[in-house]
Amino acid sequence: MTSKELRQKYLEFFKSKGHAIIPSASLIPENDPTVLFTTAGMHPLVPYLMGEPHPEGKRLANVQKCIRTGDIDEVGDNRHLTFFEMLGNWSLGDYFKADAIQWSWEFLTDKKWLGINAKKLAVTVFAGDVDAPRDEESADIWKSLGVPAHKIGYLPKKNNWWGPAGQTGPCGPDTEMFYWAGAGEYPPESSNPETDEDHWLEIWNDVFMQYNKNADGTYAPLKQKNVDTGMGLERTLVALNGYGDVFQIDTFWPLVQKIEQLSGKQYKDGEGVTKSMRIVADHLRAATMIMADDRGIVPSNVDQGYVVRRLIRRAVRHARQLGLKGKFCADVAAVVAHIFCDVYPEVARNEEKIFAELAKEEEKFDATLEKGLREFHKIPSITGHDAFVLYSTYGFPLELTLELVHEKGEGIDEAVFAQDFQKHQDLSRAGATQKFSGGLADHSEEVVRQHTATHLLQQALRDVLGNHICQKGSNITKERLRFDFTHPSKVTPEELKRVEEIMNEQIRKDHPVHFEMLTVEEAKARGAIGLFEDKYSQLGNKIKVYFIGDYSKEICGGPHVEHTRQIGGITIVKEEAVSAGIRRIKAVLVDE
Ligand code: SER
């Protein structure tokens, strides 16, 4: 089965069960400073899982682009990826365990759909703890569908609990479905993912999101009981096609072939070659998809840009190990663009920019390597600490230092490097946690007020600078709001002052704030602004538009204040460049 067929079948199945098909959200979360990337289909839906009405109703399904950088060091084995596609269906306070599980089983095993032999499947359910009971309810539903008791494993929170996506928010126990990936056609009778973890491939996860995790670590029941399911497209294709690894599916194999052609090596030329080819393919696929997003992410030293930089540089390192010389990233990215241009239109829109950025980053990395080499040769006998300084100051990879040291017949104390590295990571983590307030699950008064203020900011920018102003990103913490937008030059202090005055004037008018569910066509006809390209598209699809009196009309999930005086006052504290043609404003609320 191809990726195209699987996406189509999945959406068709859930449409037949009354689900509205929604688009993949951006890989870069809107208004959520708690995470850098969209890690699951539920992430953009957090406000709706918490009770906001969704314009498309209570049953949704989609194919979501996801990035999980937590798995970056595992990439190279047969199943881990940084970018992947997730098929998902949701109930927003509508159906619950019985329907979710029954439909998962039907889709997996019914000949009309995937037709997987039930003997090759096993499931797990939550074993229970102080926060939530053992999930016998789900186990009984599986049994009623014909799953034998010995194919049902019971696992703790570490395995069978999902969420929240950030630090706080919706989460709950889950039940997971696995495909037999061990030797022989069928698993031994006694084997299930609880007893035999390594031989089962997780393909689908039904999460019963009925709790909210609070900042203090406690769990409170949510207003509504939700279902959030996620099926890994790549892994499911592995199962359906009987492949040994995810790199053989059709959204990867052409990349491997390109890398084979460029390097003159074969994928099966030994463990080291296979691993490096997988890393090059995965990392360049992920870097391309992040840059393809209309948010304009490019390689840099911070946030998403840093991840892109790391992915590209790691891909280059492994390509060099394969003997690949010269610039090659854009050639591989062109294959990624070809694979995804029909599925995610933003890839085609941004491909020229992506190729140029990749070439620029390869050049920079080559220069870094040269400089690092010079520094390396200045040090007579390298210690673990020196290796760390080469890494942290010059970006010189540890693997390279090790290689060079070994060539000289010496060694270094890797434990010292690891210690320094750990300290460095703890520091960056501490930096990151400072940002960890706010988020899509944060409906605190401070965050909601700033959210409405962001809408005023966008409209005021358009009033002062012109209608070319388009949102490129928005990020709100309890302390400040940050808004990225298109504009070719620096915004002058006079212009900023005017923007600030307009916002405060509008706040003082105490406009009422309300939303309406409109079709894209209606929203456009009424002059709404916002990220249309994310929100769709299919004729008749509904979107939610927030109105601030007659001053601002913008597509948004909410929530917002009820009237603008609740915002207080607003002050712009900074204006700066993010990248070519994209500016950033930071603003804080002040009490009036
Ligand atoms: N959020 C769950 C997961 O990522 C189900 O989609 O596994």
Side-chain angles (χ1 to χ4, degrees), residues 375-383 386 405 408 410:
E375 292 306 314
F376 176 89
H377 289 302
K378 284 187 201 160
I379 309 169
S381 181
I382 294 246
T383 64
D386 294 330
V405 167
K408 292 205 310 191
E410 295 173 7

Side-chain angles (χ1 to χ4, degrees), residues 24-33 35-39 43-44 64-67 286-287 289-298 303-305 307-308 346 440 471-475 482 484 531 534-535 584:
S24 172
S26 164
L27 274 175
I28 316 301
E30 278 305 306
N31 292 329
D32 195 340
V35 282
L36 290 179
F37 294 104
T38 300
T39 56
H43 188 199
Q64 174 65 45
K65 304 180 284 181
C66 301
I67 288 275
M289 294 309 286
I290 298 169
M291 289 195 284
D293 224 285
D294 291 310
R295 301 299 181 279
I297 303 291
V298 293
D303 298 340
Q304 291 92 352
V307 174
V308 174
E346 60 276 19
L440 288 168
Q471 171 167 349
K472 279 289 170 183
S474 157
N475 180 297
R482 199 178 85 185
D484 296 350
L531 300 160
D534 289 354
K535 315 283 172 188
R584 170 170 291 173

Side-chain angles (χ1 to χ4, degrees), residues 436-544:
F436 278 167
S437 60
L440 288 168
D442 186 340
H443 291 184
S444 66
E445 204 190 304
E446 298 95 315
V447 167
V448 172
R449 284 162 66 214
Q450 297 195 78
H451 195 173
T452 313
T454 308
H455 284 214
L456 292 177
L457 173 60
Q458 178 160 208
Q459 187 54 48
L461 282 167
R462 289 169 78 98
D463 290 354
V464 175
L465 303 175
N467 283 343
H468 62 280
I469 299 293
C470 259
Q471 171 167 349
K472 279 289 170 183
S474 157
N475 180 297
I476 297 172
T477 68
K478 278 200 167 66
E479 294 75 30
R480 56 107 184 101
L481 66 88
R482 199 178 85 185
F483 184 72
D484 296 350
F485 56 99
T486 45
H487 187 56
S489 55
K490 188 166 173 55
V491 187
T492 65
E494 296 72 37
E495 287 165 337
L496 284 178
K497 190 154 178 280
R498 187 67 202 120
V499 169
E500 197 177 278
E501 277 166 10
I502 294 177
M503 284 191 287
N504 285 306
E505 276 161 30
Q506 295 301 335
I507 289 173
R508 280 193 295 272
K509 286 190 180 163
D510 206 19
H511 290 298
V513 180
H514 80 284
F515 67 80
E516 291 179 35
M517 308 289 197
L518 302 173
T519 63
V520 171
E521 296 71 27
E522 286 165 346
K524 283 188 175 163
R526 301 231 343 232
I529 57 171
L531 300 160
F532 277 100
E533 75 270 16
D534 289 354
K535 315 283 172 188
Y536 254 39
S537 67
Q538 278 178 31
L539 221 53
N541 256 119
K542 291 240 165 150
I543 52 180
K544 197 169 174 183

Side-chain angles (χ1 to χ4, degrees), residues 39-43 66 68 84 86-90 162-163 174 176 202 204-207 209 228-231:
T39 56
M42 60 73 72
H43 188 199
C66 301
R68 289 191 186 170
F84 63 98
M86 196 189 271
L87 306 159
N89 60 282
W90 293 274
W162 206 91
D174 67 49
E176 301 181 8
E202 184 200 333
W204 201 348
N205 184 10
D206 289 357
V207 188
M209 298 212 143
D228 154 43
T229 95
M231 180 186 224

Side-chain angles (χ1 to χ4, degrees), residues 544-586:
K544 197 169 174 183
V545 177
Y546 268 89
F547 294 80
I548 306 182
D550 55 4
Y551 183 65
S552 144
K553 304 162 197 161
E554 189 176 330
I555 303 170
C556 180
H560 283 279
V561 299
E562 282 164 7
H563 53 99
T564 54
R565 263 195 189 279
Q566 286 170 305
I567 298 172
I570 182 158
T571 307
I572 293 175
V573 290
K574 198 167 185 184
E575 192 275 346
E576 61 190 345
V578 179
S579 57
I582 301 183
R583 311 293 305 180
R584 170 170 291 173
I585 280 182
K586 286 187 185 154

